[in-house]
Amino acid sequence: MITKKVETFSQKNVLLNGEWRENENGERITLTSPSTREEIGSVPALSESEVGTAVNAAKEAQRKWAKTPLHERKQLLYRWADNLEEHKEVIGTMIMKEVAKKKSSAVDEVVRTADFIRHTAEEGVRLNGELLTGDSYNGGPASKTAQVSHVPLGVVLAIAPFNYPLNLSASKIAPALMTGNGVVFKPATQGSLSGIMMMEALDQAGLPKGLVNITTGRGSEIGDTLVTHKGIDQISFTGGSETGLSLSKKAGMIPLVLELGGKDPAIVLEDADLDKAAKEITGGAFSYSGQRCTAIKRVLVKEEAADELVDKLKEKVEELSVGLPEDDADVTPLINDKGADYVQGLIDDAIDKKAKVVTGDERKENLISPTLLDHVSTDARIAWEEPFGPVLPIIRVTSEEEAIKIANDSEYGLQASVFTQDIDAAHRIADQLEVGSVQLNGKTSRGPDHFPFLGVKNSGLGVQGVRYSLLSMTRQKVKVLNG
Ligand code: G3P
C-alpha cells in the first residue's frame, strides 16, 4: 500500500522508489527503548524482493543524478542539513529513546551530522580532477594528455550501526550523494526510527525520486541479499569486526569501506600529566557508556605512575552520573541485555583472574555502573576483547616496550593514546603502534570529522573523513587526448 508523502515526521514507513510505503506483507519489527523498555514504534521488515526494488530504483535514479551539476547537489545537502538542525530536538529525542544515548549527546549528534553534511557539500564541489601531460614521463610524448576525473561508483550500500544512528548514516549517504551516487540505506534495526526521520528530512529537502531508498529489516534476513545484489557498486559499513569480515567475503569484487571494532589502548608513562590523563581517559572510556568503536578500552600504565593514576581515575569515574538518558546521565543502560551480559562476563572473568575492582561492578538489568578494574592480567579476556560497555581494565607494565607489545598483540588497530611530557618518547611510541591514529596526550576519538579516520588489522578497511569518504565513493576516469 502506498501512503501519502510526509510533511512532518511519521517514522512509520520506508522510502522505496520515491514513495513512502508500508511493506507488502505488513510484517513489522517492534522497537522498545533500552532504558524505559517501553514500545517506541515499529518499522517494516522488508522482503528480499523489496530489497531488489530498492537497489533497482537507486540504480535508475543515479544515472540522472550523476549528470546533476555539483552546485545543485550541494544545495540539496545544505537544505537537508538545515532541516535536520531545525528539528534537532525532536530527532535528538528519538535517538535518545531508541539507543539510550544521553539527551544532550543525542541532540549534539544531530548538530554534528548537519555540520558534517555541510562540510561534505563544500569539499565535494572542490573535488577536482587533474591533467597529466605525456612528456612528464621519461621519453613520453608531449602530444598525449590524460584528463583524470572523479566519477561516481553507482549505487552505494550504506550500512549503519546503532551507536550513531544519524551521524554514521549521514557520513555515508552525504558523500555518496555529493559524488553522484545513488544509495540504499540499511539502518541498524535499533536506530531505524531515527534513520527514517533523517531520511524524511532529506526527502523534504527535495531528494530526487528513487535516489535514496531505505531497507529496514533484520540483517540476518535481508543482509545477504543486500550485500550480494549485483546492483550494489560499493559498500560502506560500520559495525562489528565479525560481521565486517563475513560481509567482505560475500561482497565479491566491489570496493568496501569498513569501520569495525577496536581495543584502543591509553599508554601512560611515568612523566605524564596524570590529572590530564585521568580526565581524558575517563571521557574516552565512558562516554555513551563505552559503546563507541573509538572508546579507550584498556590502560597500559607504567608501574611507577600506576597507583597515582588509579586514584585519579577512581575520583573521575565516581563523578560520572549513572541513570536514564532522559535525565542526561553520563552512563546509561546498554543497547540490550545481551550486550550487558557480555560486559558482565568480561568483568567476572577478569575478577576470577585476580583483577581488583576499584569502583563499579554494580548492575541493574542492562545498566552497568562505570567499572574500573586494576591489576588486570593479560590472561583475562578483557585484555583483548571489546566490551562495548562501561568497563575499563588497567594493565600495569614495567617498560615502554611491554606497553607497545601488549598494544600491538591485539587483533584490532583503530586508535591509541599516549600520555607523556617527553615529546621524543611520544613520537617513538606512536611510530611503533599498529593503529590508524595515535592521539598524543588526548583521548581516542574520530573527530573533527574531516580528519582521516581508519583502522588497520581487524579494525577496518579504507579511509573515512569528509574528503576521504568522497574519494572512496568515486573512481578515476581517464580520457587520453592524442594530439
Ligand atoms: O563507534 C563509531 C566511531 O566512529 C566513534 O566515533 O566520534 O565517538 O569517536 P566517535
Side-chain angles (χ1 to χ4, degrees):
M1 175 184 151
I2 296 176
T3 56
K4 248 185 104 201
K5 195 161 175 165
V6 288
E7 299 300 333
T8 54
F9 297 110
S10 82
Q11 311 138 31
K12 284 193 173 54
N13 300 316
V14 286
L15 183 60
L16 278 184
N17 198 16
E19 305 283 358
W20 287 95
R21 299 185 186 183
E22 292 175 4
N23 49 335
E24 270 152 25
N25 66 11
E27 197 193 318
R28 300 184 72 86
I29 300 169
T30 301
L31 297 171
T32 53
S33 154
S35 55
T36 63
R37 300 195 176 230
E38 281 162 9
E39 195 176 313
I40 48 172
S42 68
V43 294
L46 295 194
S47 65
E48 290 185 4
S49 86
E50 285 162 323
V51 165
T53 305
V55 180
N56 295 336
K59 194 111 224 157
E60 178 70 28
Q62 187 268 333
R63 292 195 182 99
K64 197 165 160 210
W65 180 244
K67 298 190 182 108
T68 306
L70 280 172
H71 65 265
E72 281 180 29
R73 297 184 206 166
K74 172 178 153 176
Q75 282 159 9
L76 173 70
L77 262 57
Y78 260 85
R79 289 194 298 269
W80 181 23
D82 291 348
N83 275 352
L84 290 175
E85 197 150 5
E86 190 184 327
H87 297 290
K88 65 181 180 187
E89 280 298 321
V90 62
I91 302 174
T93 302
M94 178 52 82
I95 295 175
M96 176 197 74
K97 283 188 190 165
E98 206 176 3
V99 302
K101 184 172 284 192
K102 73 188 241 186
K103 177 72 192 292
S104 57
S105 300
V107 174
D108 286 351
E109 181 177 337
V110 184
V111 177
R112 178 180 179 179
T113 303
D115 287 340
F116 181 93
I117 294 169
R118 291 188 192 107
H119 199 102
T120 299
E122 291 301 336
E123 195 72 32
V125 291
R126 294 181 181 86
L127 204 68
N128 293 311
E130 58 183 348
L131 207 68
L132 304 181
T133 54
D135 61 347
S136 57
Y137 191 82
N138 189 26
S143 55
K144 273 186 186 287
T145 309
Q147 178 190 312
V148 187
S149 49
H150 300 287
V151 299
L153 294 173
V155 176
V156 170
L157 171 59
I159 309 179
F162 77 83
N163 63 347
Y164 282 95
L166 224 63
N167 188 268
L168 288 174
S169 304
S171 63
K172 299 166 175 48
I173 298 168
L177 292 179
M178 197 58 213
T179 45
N181 292 285
V183 176
V184 174
F185 170 40
K186 167 70 181 77
T189 300
Q190 196 80 31
S192 308
L193 294 168
S194 315
I196 289 173
M197 286 175 95
M198 180 181 74
M199 298 317 302
E200 290 181 283
L202 174 58
D203 190 39
Q204 289 173 31
L207 179 73
K209 177 177 185 277
L211 190 60
V212 181
N213 299 268
I214 312 175
T215 53
T216 50
R218 296 277 173 215
S220 52
E221 283 160 25
I222 55 169
D224 283 2
T225 310
L226 276 169
V227 301
T228 57
H229 197 290
K230 288 199 173 7
I232 297 294
D233 301 298
Q234 198 246 25
I235 301 176
S236 180
F237 168 83
T238 303
S241 293
E242 222 173 287
T243 315
L245 188 62
S246 127
L247 180 158
S248 68
K249 285 183 181 154
K250 290 173 189 155
M253 218 165 61
I254 59 167
L256 302 177
V257 175
L258 307 175
E259 184 203 339
L260 309 174
K263 189 68 188 170
D264 296 1
I267 296 177
V268 185
L269 301 190
E270 58 272 41
D271 70 338
D273 173 343
L274 295 181
D275 287 311
K276 182 169 192 212
K279 182 169 174 280
E280 291 287 316
I281 291 171
T282 304
F286 294 102
S287 66
Y288 187 38
S289 313
Q291 297 174 111
R292 297 164 50 240
C293 53
T294 50
I296 291 179
K297 293 181 180 129
R298 49 197 175 140
V299 175
L300 305 171
V301 57
K302 282 285 291 291
E303 190 66 66
E304 299 88 317
D307 287 343
E308 200 182 337
L309 180 71
V310 171
D311 286 347
K312 289 180 189 294
L313 280 172
K314 178 176 190 294
E315 199 182 315
K316 285 277 162 221
V317 172
E318 287 179 349
E319 280 169 20
L320 298 172
S321 55
V322 182
L324 294 178
E326 288 81 356
D327 299 329
D328 219 32
D330 299 311
V331 174
T332 52
L334 296 182
I335 194 70
N336 53 37
D337 291 337
K338 192 173 160 217
D341 290 345
Y342 183 70
V343 174
Q344 190 66 56
L346 292 180
I347 295 173
D348 295 346
D349 170 76
I351 295 170
D352 280 353
K353 290 172 180 149
K354 307 274 181 281
K356 182 172 161 268
V357 178
V358 179
T359 187
D361 192 23
E362 283 164 21
R363 177 178 176 187
K364 192 171 170 237
E365 298 176 323
N366 54 339
L367 178 61
I368 296 181
S369 61
T371 301
L372 202 54
L373 300 171
D374 193 7
H375 297 285
V376 172
S377 88
T378 50
D379 295 337
R381 288 170 51 207
I382 202 164
W384 310 107
E385 293 178 36
E386 183 182 32
F388 234 61
V391 54
L392 181 64
I394 298 165
I395 301 172
R396 295 172 176 234
V397 296
T398 54
S399 66
E400 199 177 295
E401 292 70 31
E402 189 187 1
I404 294 167
K405 178 166 174 10
I406 297 172
N408 286 346
D409 277 349
S410 171
E411 66 175 290
Y412 298 108
L414 191 56
Q415 294 204 352
S417 293
V418 180
F419 292 93
T420 175
Q421 298 192 63
D422 178 344
I423 186 79
D424 294 332
H427 283 286
R428 187 169 61 234
I429 295 171
D431 287 345
Q432 294 175 74
L433 292 172
E434 296 162 1
V435 294
S437 317
V438 182
Q439 305 272 351
L440 305 182
N441 294 311
K443 62 186 167 203
T444 47
S445 71
R446 174 171 43 128
D449 293 337
H450 67 311
F451 283 7
F453 179 52
L454 68 155
V456 300
K457 300 195 270 188
N458 284 353
S459 286
L461 194 67
V463 189
Q464 294 178 89
V466 173
R467 182 172 171 79
Y468 311 94
S469 297
L470 286 162
L471 285 169
S472 77
M473 290 169 177
T474 64
R475 62 185 162 80
Q476 286 161 317
K477 178 80 180 268
V478 186
K479 243 185 264 173
V480 181
L481 316 178
N482 290 277

